[in-house]
Amino acid sequence: MENQVKIQTEKKDKAKEEFNAKPTAAFIAASWASLLIGMVSFCVGLWNAAMEFNEKGYYFTVLLFGLFSVISVQKSVRDKLEGIPVTDIYYGVSWFVTIASMLLLVVGLWNATLDLSEKGFYGISFFLSLFAAIAVQKNTRDTKFLEQKDK
């Protein structure tokens, strides 16, 4: 047990030594802008779509599910990198629900009676939002990590 704690401490120290690059203000702003553009575009598209309310709810829920799941994946990957214990179950479930959210969107759009351009719009804005959520989470984590390192 004592040996395991020593290994984890060494991993944390190694991660702290290797990482010292703070995200630039431009990248942070671009990440937040991408997240807002992706989410707002997706939601405005849903608001103006000619589909049933329950169908709109399905797509909105898939968006929220996807955003939460990619943040969870990013957090667990980062925790592992920094030597913070992450259970294999949580790590696996995070990846599973991320893939599930993507599949739910694809299956929903595949079976939807929408124009191909609308399907593409929802797909692009969904994946832009997921990527941006990962970037925002990474920037937040990097900034916090460096602030704690400087103390």
Coordinates of all heavy atoms in Angstrom, one line a residue, residues 58-59 61-70 73 91-109 126-127 130:
Y58 N -35.8 15.1 -27.7 CA -34.8 14.0 -27.9 C -33.5 14.5 -28.3 O -32.5 14.2 -27.7 CB -35.4 13.0 -29.0 CG -34.3 12.0 -29.4 CD1 -34.1 10.8 -28.6 CD2 -33.6 12.1 -30.6 CE1 -33.2 9.9 -29.0 CE2 -32.6 11.2 -31.0 CZ -32.4 10.1 -30.2 OH -31.5 9.2 -30.6
Y59 N -33.5 15.4 -29.3 CA -32.2 16.0 -29.8 C -31.6 16.9 -28.8 O -30.3 16.9 -28.6 CB -32.4 16.7 -31.1 CG -32.7 15.8 -32.3 CD1 -33.9 15.8 -32.9 CD2 -31.7 14.9 -32.7 CE1 -34.2 14.9 -34.0 CE2 -31.9 14.0 -33.8 CZ -33.2 14.0 -34.4 OH -33.4 13.2 -35.4
T61 N -31.8 16.6 -25.5 CA -31.3 15.7 -24.5 C -30.0 15.0 -24.9 O -29.1 14.8 -24.1 CB -32.4 14.6 -24.1 OG1 -33.6 15.3 -23.6 CG2 -31.9 13.7 -23.0
V62 N -30.0 14.6 -26.2 CA -28.8 14.0 -26.7 C -27.6 15.0 -26.7 O -26.5 14.6 -26.4 CB -29.0 13.4 -28.2 CG1 -27.7 13.1 -28.8 CG2 -29.9 12.2 -28.1
L63 N -27.9 16.2 -27.0 CA -26.8 17.3 -26.9 C -26.3 17.4 -25.5 O -25.1 17.4 -25.2 CB -27.4 18.6 -27.4 CG -26.4 19.8 -27.2 CD1 -25.2 19.7 -28.1 CD2 -27.1 21.1 -27.5
L64 N -27.2 17.5 -24.5 CA -26.8 17.6 -23.1 C -26.0 16.4 -22.6 O -25.0 16.5 -21.9 CB -28.0 17.9 -22.2 CG -28.7 19.2 -22.4 CD1 -29.9 19.3 -21.5 CD2 -27.8 20.4 -22.3
F65 N -26.5 15.2 -23.0 CA -25.9 13.9 -22.7 C -24.5 13.9 -23.3 O -23.5 13.5 -22.6 CB -26.8 12.8 -23.2 CG -26.3 11.4 -22.9 CD1 -26.0 11.0 -21.6 CD2 -26.3 10.5 -23.9 CE1 -25.6 9.7 -21.4 CE2 -25.9 9.2 -23.7 CZ -25.6 8.8 -22.4
G66 N -24.3 14.3 -24.5 CA -23.0 14.3 -25.2 C -22.1 15.3 -24.5 O -20.9 14.9 -24.3
L67 N -22.5 16.5 -24.2 CA -21.7 17.5 -23.5 C -21.2 17.0 -22.2 O -20.0 17.1 -21.8 CB -22.4 18.8 -23.4 CG -22.7 19.6 -24.6 CD1 -23.6 20.7 -24.4 CD2 -21.4 20.0 -25.3
F68 N -22.1 16.4 -21.4 CA -21.7 15.9 -20.1 C -20.7 14.7 -20.2 O -19.7 14.7 -19.5 CB -22.9 15.5 -19.3 CG -22.5 15.0 -17.9 CD1 -22.3 15.9 -16.9 CD2 -22.4 13.6 -17.6 CE1 -21.9 15.4 -15.6 CE2 -22.1 13.2 -16.4 CZ -21.8 14.1 -15.4
S69 N -20.9 13.9 -21.2 CA -20.1 12.7 -21.3 C -18.7 13.0 -21.7 O -17.7 12.4 -21.2 CB -20.8 11.6 -22.2 OG -20.8 12.1 -23.5
V70 N -18.5 14.0 -22.7 CA -17.2 14.3 -23.1 C -16.4 15.0 -22.0 O -15.2 14.8 -21.9 CB -17.1 15.1 -24.4 CG1 -17.7 14.3 -25.6 CG2 -17.8 16.4 -24.3
V73 N -15.2 12.2 -19.8 CA -14.0 11.5 -20.4 C -12.8 12.4 -20.2 O -11.7 11.9 -19.8 CB -14.3 11.2 -21.9 CG1 -13.0 10.8 -22.6 CG2 -15.3 10.1 -22.0
Y91 N -14.1 5.1 -15.9 CA -13.4 5.4 -17.1 C -14.1 4.8 -18.3 O -14.4 5.4 -19.3 CB -12.0 4.9 -17.0 CG -11.1 5.3 -18.2 CD1 -10.7 6.6 -18.5 CD2 -10.7 4.3 -19.1 CE1 -10.0 6.9 -19.6 CE2 -9.9 4.6 -20.2 CZ -9.5 5.9 -20.4 OH -8.8 6.3 -21.5
G92 N -14.5 3.5 -18.1 CA -15.2 2.8 -19.2 C -16.6 3.3 -19.4 O -17.0 3.5 -20.6
V93 N -17.3 3.6 -18.4 CA -18.7 4.2 -18.5 C -18.6 5.5 -19.2 O -19.4 5.8 -20.1 CB -19.4 4.2 -17.1 CG1 -20.6 5.1 -17.2 CG2 -19.7 2.8 -16.6
S94 N -17.6 6.3 -18.9 CA -17.5 7.6 -19.5 C -17.3 7.5 -21.0 O -17.9 8.2 -21.8 CB -16.2 8.4 -18.9 OG -16.4 8.7 -17.6
W95 N -16.4 6.6 -21.4 CA -16.3 6.4 -22.9 C -17.5 5.8 -23.5 O -17.9 6.1 -24.6 CB -15.1 5.4 -23.1 CG -13.8 6.2 -23.2 CD1 -12.8 6.2 -22.3 CD2 -13.4 7.1 -24.3 NE1 -11.8 7.0 -22.7 CE2 -12.1 7.6 -24.0 CE3 -14.0 7.5 -25.5 CZ2 -11.4 8.4 -24.8 CZ3 -13.3 8.3 -26.3 CH2 -12.0 8.8 -26.0
F96 N -18.2 4.8 -22.8 CA -19.4 4.2 -23.3 C -20.5 5.2 -23.6 O -21.1 5.3 -24.6 CB -19.9 3.1 -22.4 CG -21.2 2.6 -22.8 CD1 -21.3 1.6 -23.8 CD2 -22.4 2.9 -22.2 CE1 -22.5 1.1 -24.2 CE2 -23.6 2.4 -22.6 CZ -23.7 1.5 -23.6
V97 N -20.7 6.1 -22.6 CA -21.8 7.1 -22.8 C -21.4 8.2 -23.8 O -22.3 8.7 -24.5 CB -22.3 7.7 -21.5 CG1 -22.8 6.7 -20.5 CG2 -21.1 8.5 -20.8
T98 N -20.2 8.5 -24.0 CA -19.8 9.4 -25.1 C -20.1 8.8 -26.4 O -20.7 9.4 -27.3 CB -18.2 9.7 -24.9 OG1 -18.0 10.4 -23.7 CG2 -17.8 10.5 -26.1
I99 N -19.7 7.5 -26.6 CA -20.0 6.8 -27.9 C -21.5 6.7 -28.1 O -22.0 6.9 -29.2 CB -19.2 5.5 -27.9 CG1 -17.7 5.8 -28.0 CG2 -19.7 4.7 -29.1 CD1 -16.8 4.6 -27.7
A100 N -22.2 6.4 -27.0 CA -23.6 6.2 -27.0 C -24.3 7.5 -27.5 O -25.2 7.5 -28.3 CB -24.2 5.7 -25.7
S101 N -23.9 8.6 -26.9 CA -24.5 9.9 -27.3 C -24.3 10.2 -28.8 O -25.2 10.7 -29.5 CB -24.0 11.1 -26.5 OG -22.6 11.4 -26.8
M102 N -23.1 9.9 -29.3 CA -22.9 10.1 -30.8 C -23.7 9.1 -31.6 O -24.3 9.5 -32.6 CB -21.4 9.8 -31.1 CG -20.5 10.8 -30.4 SD -18.8 10.4 -30.7 CE -17.9 11.5 -29.7
L103 N -23.8 7.9 -31.2 CA -24.7 6.9 -31.9 C -26.1 7.3 -31.9 O -26.8 7.2 -32.9 CB -24.5 5.5 -31.4 CG -23.1 4.8 -31.7 CD1 -23.0 3.5 -31.0 CD2 -23.0 4.7 -33.2
L104 N -26.6 7.8 -30.7 CA -28.0 8.2 -30.6 C -28.3 9.4 -31.6 O -29.3 9.4 -32.2 CB -28.3 8.7 -29.2 CG -28.5 7.5 -28.2 CD1 -28.5 8.1 -26.7 CD2 -29.7 6.7 -28.5
L105 N -27.4 10.3 -31.7 CA -27.6 11.4 -32.7 C -27.6 10.9 -34.1 O -28.5 11.2 -34.9 CB -26.5 12.5 -32.5 CG -26.7 13.6 -33.5 CD1 -27.8 14.6 -33.0 CD2 -25.4 14.4 -33.8
V106 N -26.6 10.0 -34.4 CA -26.5 9.5 -35.8 C -27.8 8.7 -36.1 O -28.4 8.9 -37.2 CB -25.3 8.6 -35.9 CG1 -25.3 7.9 -37.2 CG2 -24.0 9.5 -35.9
V107 N -28.2 7.8 -35.2 CA -29.4 7.0 -35.5 C -30.6 7.9 -35.6 O -31.5 7.7 -36.5 CB -29.6 5.9 -34.4 CG1 -31.0 5.3 -34.5 CG2 -28.5 4.9 -34.5
G108 N -30.7 8.9 -34.7 CA -31.9 9.8 -34.8 C -31.9 10.6 -36.1 O -33.0 10.7 -36.7
L109 N -30.8 11.1 -36.5 CA -30.7 11.8 -37.8 C -30.9 10.9 -39.0 O -31.5 11.3 -40.0 CB -29.4 12.6 -37.9 CG -29.2 13.8 -36.9 CD1 -27.8 14.4 -37.1 CD2 -30.3 14.8 -37.1
F126 N -23.4 19.6 -33.4 CA -23.3 18.7 -32.2 C -21.8 18.4 -32.0 O -21.3 18.5 -30.9 CB -24.1 17.4 -32.5 CG -24.0 16.4 -31.5 CD1 -24.7 16.5 -30.3 CD2 -23.1 15.3 -31.6 CE1 -24.6 15.5 -29.3 CE2 -23.0 14.3 -30.7 CZ -23.7 14.4 -29.5
F127 N -21.1 18.0 -33.0 CA -19.7 17.6 -32.9 C -18.8 18.8 -32.6 O -17.8 18.7 -31.8 CB -19.2 16.8 -34.0 CG -19.7 15.4 -34.0 CD1 -20.8 15.0 -34.8 CD2 -19.2 14.5 -33.1 CE1 -21.3 13.7 -34.8 CE2 -19.7 13.2 -33.1 CZ -20.7 12.8 -33.9
L130 N -19.3 19.3 -28.8 CA -18.5 18.3 -28.1 C -17.0 18.6 -28.0 O -16.4 18.6 -27.0 CB -18.7 16.9 -28.6 CG -20.1 16.3 -28.6 CD1 -20.1 14.8 -29.0 CD2 -20.8 16.4 -27.3

